Amino acid sequence: MNVLPEWELMAPESIDEVRALRAHHPGSRFLGGGTDLVVNLRRGIGDPPAALIDISRVAEMKGISVDGERLRVGAGVTIRELADDPRVRAGFPGLAAAARSIAGPTHRHMGTVGGNLCLDTRCIYYNQSEWWRAANRYCLKYGGEICHVAPKSRVCYATFSGDLAPALAILDAAEVEVAGVEGARTLPLESLHTGDGERYLALEPDELVVAVRARRPAALRTGYDKVRVRRSIDYPLAGVAAGVVREGDRLTDLRLAFTGTNPRPLRLRGTEALCGGPLDDAGMERLSGLVRRQVMAMRTTFTSGHYRRHAAGVLARRLVRRLFDGV
Ligand SMILES: Cc1cc2nc3c(=O)[nH]c(=O)nc-3n(C[C@H](O)[C@H](O)[C@H](O)COP(=O)(O)OP(=O)(O)OC[C@H]3O[C@@H](n4cnc5c(N)ncnc54)[C@H](O)[C@@H]3O)c2cc1C
């Protein structure tokens, strides 16, 4: 790890102040809890910013509100606050479980919801020291010309590994509120991540996420599970969020989303074909097929892409079965 470079640190308390600061410091970066950004800066990853705008004190980005089935979480809410909120635990158990699974207690204390949604994509050729990356002539994501994971590709395959995005993506009307120098807008959560590991966010450089909103269908049972190298502290090698509606013995709604596998959070398509009847072995086999076709894990971690795709399928089947059985 390098010594941190010098920078100016600013701590605005309102979105209007953030806008004004950002307009005067176009080379600045937003700082949430710093648990991803500061680590990357100490590794010499990314151009060192001239200034950091600490957005953890911005009033409009604080607070969780639950109104019946509707949820709004400020981007400045910490992961710990989200995980511990009794209304989130009761009404959005999949989201609370995803939050509880993030990193370790000290990261959850500092890390924010906005930082988690805007988490940089990860790869064994990127999350390395400067000398290691230099020895490998860097990579497409930063400083180099090829993607070592897929050398013929013009697109970077670094993986999105945030745990909250899939847990939010299986809810209805998941949207992010965004503010920039020019004004405010709302973006479907599904459009926030581009699928290109290099330019992974569909935000303008001056834009920040202010809050995320979603709605839970009344009968939806939700859950979250992941595999990781160090169970007490690690990013997902594969993570899955699931939502299930059961009516009698019939599965009537099934939603799944993955993280840790593709360059963006992946909402699994085609699950409606599994609904309408009981959750039997044939249905589970079809679910495995959907996962195999859509989860595109590459060799971006020390474990193989094949292992992560397989693990994603196992996790998905287990979680769906558990939610369907209500255990
Ligand atoms: C050892 C270790 C283990 C980890 N394990 C996990 C894990 O299991 N799961 C997981 O998901 N993460 C993990 N993380 C990453 C990180 O701790 C969390 O993702 C955390 O939620 C990031 O939030 P932050 O506020 O600290 O982000 P920061 O580091 O402050 O920011 C991350 C990025 O988002 C940008 N940003 C921050 N807030 C906003 C905003 N509101 N709008 C626009 N851009 C913004 C920053 O400019 C930066 O580019 C781990 C980190 C470490 C060091």
Side-chain angles (χ1 to χ4, degrees), residues 3-326:
V3 175
L4 279 175
E6 292 279 325
W7 58 57
E8 197 178 338
L9 182 65
M10 294 163 286
E13 294 184 0
S14 70
I15 293 289
D16 283 344
E17 276 182 61
V18 173
R19 284 199 177 108
L21 288 171
R22 181 68 206 189
H24 284 98
H25 300 270
S28 58
R29 303 250 335 241
F30 296 122
L31 177 75
T35 60
D36 183 52
L37 181 60
V38 173
V39 177
N40 285 349
L41 291 175
R42 287 204 61 190
R43 283 208 161 125
I45 294 176
D47 299 328
L52 288 181
I53 303 179
D54 176 354
I55 47 182
S56 64
R57 297 177 203 178
V58 174
E60 296 95 320
M61 294 171 64
K62 286 290 182 192
I64 300 174
S65 61
V66 179
D67 177 9
E69 279 139 21
R70 290 175 192 280
L71 171 74
R72 181 184 184 277
V73 185
V77 167
T78 66
I79 303 298
R80 189 177 81 168
E81 287 168 337
L82 182 68
D84 289 352
D85 190 291
R87 299 160 302 167
V88 176
R89 291 173 82 110
F92 302 85
L95 182 61
R100 275 196 305 279
S101 81
I102 291 171
T106 47
H107 303 100
R108 294 195 290 275
H109 181 72
M110 291 300 294
T112 62
V113 169
N116 193 265
L117 293 175
C118 299
L119 189 66
D120 196 1
T121 52
R122 300 182 60 76
C123 180
I124 39 170
Y125 292 96
Y126 176 68
N127 299 96
Q128 298 287 354
S129 60
E130 164 65 22
W131 68 262
W132 194 100
R133 285 177 289 118
N136 284 282
R137 297 189 183 182
Y138 301 98
C139 73
L140 194 55
K141 185 162 162 65
Y142 184 63
E145 302 206 334
I146 62 165
C147 174
H148 297 294
V149 168
K152 290 189 182 151
S153 168
R154 294 314 305 151
V155 178
C156 161
Y157 277 91
T159 303
F160 180 79
S161 302
D163 285 295
L164 296 183
L168 288 159
I170 58 160
L171 302 173
D172 282 347
E175 293 175 327
V176 283
E177 297 170 19
V178 171
V181 171
E182 298 298 324
R185 64 181 175 127
T186 303
L187 194 66
L189 177 64
E190 207 168 0
S191 308
L192 178 63
H193 303 98
T194 62
D196 175 346
E198 187 184 359
R199 279 173 283 273
Y200 58 98
L201 287 179
L203 294 180
E204 298 301 326
D206 66 282
E207 286 185 318
L208 81 162
V209 173
V210 173
V212 59
R213 298 193 298 239
R215 190 159 37 79
R216 178 181 65 92
L220 195 72
R221 301 173 183 175
T222 61
Y224 187 79
D225 202 2
K226 73 196 239 190
V227 281
R228 46 188 156 170
V229 175
R230 299 167 296 176
R231 201 168 161 73
S232 57
I233 196 174
D234 236 334
Y235 293 93
L237 294 171
V240 58
V244 162
V245 178
R246 177 177 180 163
E247 289 174 23
D249 279 343
R250 290 183 317 122
L251 175 70
T252 56
D253 193 351
L254 175 62
R255 300 138 182 238
L256 288 134
F258 294 86
T259 186
T261 56
N262 294 41
R264 59 181 295 180
L266 175 79
R267 176 80 195 258
L268 198 71
R269 305 287 164 207
T271 51
E272 58 286 347
L274 279 69
C275 298
L279 184 63
D280 53 17
D281 289 349
M284 283 299 194
E285 202 35 58
R286 285 165 89 180
L287 174 57
S288 298
L290 293 177
V291 173
R292 271 197 303 274
R293 281 192 291 281
Q294 295 175 51
V295 167
M296 298 293 288
M298 307 284 277
R299 203 175 187 292
T300 51
T301 69
F302 289 105
T303 48
S304 72
H306 173 77
Y307 167 78
R308 277 152 59 226
R309 192 158 61 148
H310 180 72
V314 173
L315 286 178
R317 288 197 302 276
R318 261 194 225 155
L319 183 57
V320 169
R321 170 56 68 196
R322 179 160 67 76
L323 293 171
F324 186 78
D325 292 345

